[in-house]
């Protein structure tokens, strides 16, 4: 019996991932819903089992910091999917998952602390033949996969500029403190370096690029966002002269006043006040009324035979949680296939086979579009 455990299944992303993944599983698989709150777990389990017409899901109430309890809960599981922000518990829990011989996929935000915790386990991953996939979901998760999709169609990929923006209701009142803390850590390590002309350089604040996005988002000024998968992409494709991920901000008030103040509060040790301010900002200053939209777009350039070409690939949706969990599920589909992923630590965007990955996403409720243009006169 194939068992997949979802940690944080009572949360917004975990609940949706369980609901979307359940119909994908056959009679030889089951879901283990793990979280701290028994009542929402039981309700989710009942819903999944009713729709499946069988006992597909089970629940286990546990605190992720309680390693003896987690060892018992996860026994017999083949894949652990982390949808909750683990923070300081990342290292011990990842070590436990590795020790009991299971694979790992997380959709946590990318930050140095998480990478340090997982990188320390790389030798053991290789020794035990276990596959750990990190930086899953939307961003990180999609940018490098989009660039690799273009690289399959271009003989020499020279540019992969990816940008994203959102017009959403952040539903900040439903965000857990651990999720806000994870976002706060990401804001605190923001880096303005980009990869241009084949080298890293600092981007001036007054030279931020503007991109035009579809639908209600429109034209946005975007800021470079450091993602480990983009550096892995540059290392893997030596012809790349430009390769960056940019993201639009919240609003001028948020970007230039509130966020710097929140980061300063964090650095001064007032973390509790910083978290309260961040929640207030997302609720009252960053959320937008309908229509809601998220979009991520790749603008790629390179050569096909003797022609210079450009390629555009866009993925969009209206639900921030759906656009996060559906790429993770597309990754899980490949993990479940007959050709196993190699052992070690991998970015989702660098381990998935991009053709199948985006073919799967094309058949979801997300909108996927692409076009190719010749640049040769």
């Amino acid at each position: 019996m194939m068992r997949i455990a979802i940690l944080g299944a009572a949360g917004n992303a975990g609940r949706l991932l369980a609901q979307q993944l359940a119909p994908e599983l056959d009679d030889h698989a089951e879901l283990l819903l793990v979280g701290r709150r028994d009542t929402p777990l039981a309700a989710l389990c009942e819903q999944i089992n009713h729709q499946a017409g069988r006992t597909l899901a089970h629940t286990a109430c546990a605190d992720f910091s309680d390693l003896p309890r987690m060892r018992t809960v996860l026994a017999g599981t083949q894949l652990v999917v982390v949808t909750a922000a683990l923070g300081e518990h990342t290292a011990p829990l990842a070590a436990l998952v590795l020790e009991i011989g299971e694979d790992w996929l997380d959709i946590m935000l990318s930050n140095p602390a998480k990478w340090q915790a997982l990188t320390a386990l790389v030798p053991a991953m290789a020794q035990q033949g276990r596959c750990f996939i990190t930086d899953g979901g939307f961003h990180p998760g999609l940018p490098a996969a989009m660039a690799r999709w273009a690289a399959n169609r271009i003989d020499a990929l020279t540019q992969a500029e990816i940008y994203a923006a959102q017009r959403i209701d952040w539903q900040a009142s439903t965000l857990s403190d651990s999720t806000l803390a994870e976002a706060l850590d990401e804001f605190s390590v923001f880096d303005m370096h980009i990869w241009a002309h084949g080298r890293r350089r600092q981007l001036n604040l007054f030279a931020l690029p503007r991109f035009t996005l579809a639908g209600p988002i429109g034209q946005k000024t975007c800021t470079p966002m450091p993602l480990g998968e983009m550096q892995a992409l540059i290392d893997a494709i030596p012809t790349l002269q430009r390769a960056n991920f940019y993201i639009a901000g919240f609003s001028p008030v948020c970007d230039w006043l509130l966020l710097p103040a929140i980061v300063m509060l964090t650095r001064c040790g007032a973390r509790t006040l910083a978290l309260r301010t961040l929640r207030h900002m997302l609720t009252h200053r960053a959320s937008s009324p309908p229509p809601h939209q998220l979009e991520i777009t790749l603008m790629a350039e390179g050569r096909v035979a003797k022609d210079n070409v450009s390629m555009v690939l866009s993925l969009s949706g209206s639900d921030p949680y759906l656009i996060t969990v559906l790429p993770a599920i597309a990754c899980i589909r490949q993990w479940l296939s007959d050709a196993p992923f190699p052992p070690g630590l991998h970015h989702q965007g660098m381990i998935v086979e991009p053709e199948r990955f985006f073919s799967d996403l094309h058949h979801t409720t997300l909108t996927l579009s692409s076009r190719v243009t010749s640049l040769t006169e």
Side-chain angles (χ1 to χ4, degrees):
M1 178 69 72
M2 171 65 65
R3 174 182 286 187
I4 299 174
I6 300 176
L7 305 192
N12 293 326
R15 180 175 62 254
L16 188 57
L17 190 144
Q19 292 168 337
Q20 295 289 322
L21 179 60
E24 307 269 341
L25 301 178
D26 60 25
D27 292 341
H28 301 289
E30 63 181 23
L31 285 176
L32 177 63
L33 310 176
V34 186
R36 296 185 179 94
R37 296 175 294 158
D38 185 61
T39 301
L41 286 177
L44 176 61
C45 183
E46 182 179 1
Q47 177 197 31
I48 290 174
N49 290 338
H50 175 74
Q51 292 176 347
R54 68 180 182 93
T55 305
L56 168 62
H58 304 270
T59 67
C61 199
D63 190 299
F64 304 143
S65 64
D66 186 347
L67 294 184
R69 170 63 177 160
M70 291 302 298
R71 180 187 295 275
T72 301
V73 165
L74 296 178
T77 299
Q78 284 72 49
L79 176 66
V80 175
V81 182
V82 182
T83 67
L86 297 180
E88 63 185 6
H89 305 305
T90 302
L93 189 57
L96 173 64
V97 169
L98 184 60
E99 180 186 337
I100 58 182
E102 299 164 0
D103 287 354
W104 165 291
L105 167 65
D106 75 69
I107 60 171
M108 294 185 286
L109 293 177
S110 188
N111 61 62
K114 182 186 79 169
W115 267 97
Q116 183 178 4
L118 295 179
T119 301
L121 298 173
V122 167
M125 294 174 196
Q127 182 180 12
Q128 298 184 32
R130 302 268 49 100
C131 178
F132 273 47
I133 305 170
T134 190
D135 287 0
F138 173 32
H139 65 79
L142 286 174
M146 298 176 89
R148 293 173 57 234
W149 174 90
N152 283 350
R153 291 164 167 75
I154 293 179
D155 297 333
L157 184 66
T158 57
Q159 174 179 302
E161 297 281 82
I162 302 116
Y163 53 94
Q166 62 274 316
R167 176 189 169 91
I168 61 174
D169 177 0
W170 283 92
Q171 303 175 32
S173 62
T174 69
L175 296 176
S176 67
D177 289 342
S178 60
T179 298
L180 286 175
E182 186 182 43
L184 185 60
D185 291 339
E186 185 179 46
F187 294 141
S188 300
V189 296
F190 226 74
D191 187 344
M192 291 289 288
H193 282 86
I194 63 171
W195 181 261
H197 307 296
R199 64 182 180 87
R200 279 174 59 82
R201 68 180 183 88
Q202 183 80 19
L203 184 65
N204 191 303
L205 271 175
F206 299 100
L208 294 178
R210 289 181 67 82
F211 298 102
T212 301
L213 297 104
I217 298 177
Q219 193 173 71
K220 291 288 186 179
T221 298
C222 295
T223 303
M225 182 177 181
L227 294 178
E229 69 190 79
M230 294 305 294
Q231 184 57 55
L233 180 75
I234 292 165
D235 294 340
I237 305 178
T239 57
L240 279 170
Q241 293 298 299
R242 292 187 66 88
N244 301 288
F245 175 70
Y246 301 89
I247 191 162
F250 299 102
S251 71
V253 171
C254 294
D255 299 343
W256 298 98
L257 179 61
L258 294 178
L259 274 179
I262 289 169
V263 171
M264 186 62 67
L265 286 171
T266 304
R267 293 175 178 173
C268 292
R271 190 174 177 85
T272 301
L273 179 57
L275 288 171
R276 286 205 301 265
T277 306
L278 178 58
R279 189 183 294 277
H280 176 85
M281 184 194 82
L282 292 176
T283 304
H284 300 287
R285 296 288 182 176
S287 292
S288 301
H292 295 139
Q293 183 80 355
L294 296 92
E295 180 182 328
I296 182 169
T297 294
L298 161 75
M299 298 177 63
E301 292 184 6
R303 292 188 303 277
V304 175
K306 296 182 179 180
D307 291 336
N308 293 322
V309 301
S310 70
M311 290 187 175
V312 176
L313 178 66
S314 293
L315 186 72
S316 61
S318 60
D319 186 330
Y321 291 106
L322 199 60
I323 205 171
T324 297
V325 305
L326 288 179
I329 290 173
C331 180
I332 293 172
R333 283 197 194 101
Q334 295 191 26
W335 180 88
L336 287 167
S337 67
D338 293 334
F341 287 143
L345 179 61
H346 309 278
H347 301 270
Q348 174 189 281
M350 293 298 295
I351 191 66
V352 294
E353 196 288 306
E355 293 295 330
R356 178 181 174 185
F357 184 70
F358 287 106
S359 176
D360 285 346
L361 291 177
H362 181 66
H363 293 93
T364 67
T365 56
L366 303 178
T367 300
L368 185 71
S369 64
S370 63
R371 69 175 185 270
V372 181
T373 305
S374 175
L375 301 177
T376 303
E377 296 182 359

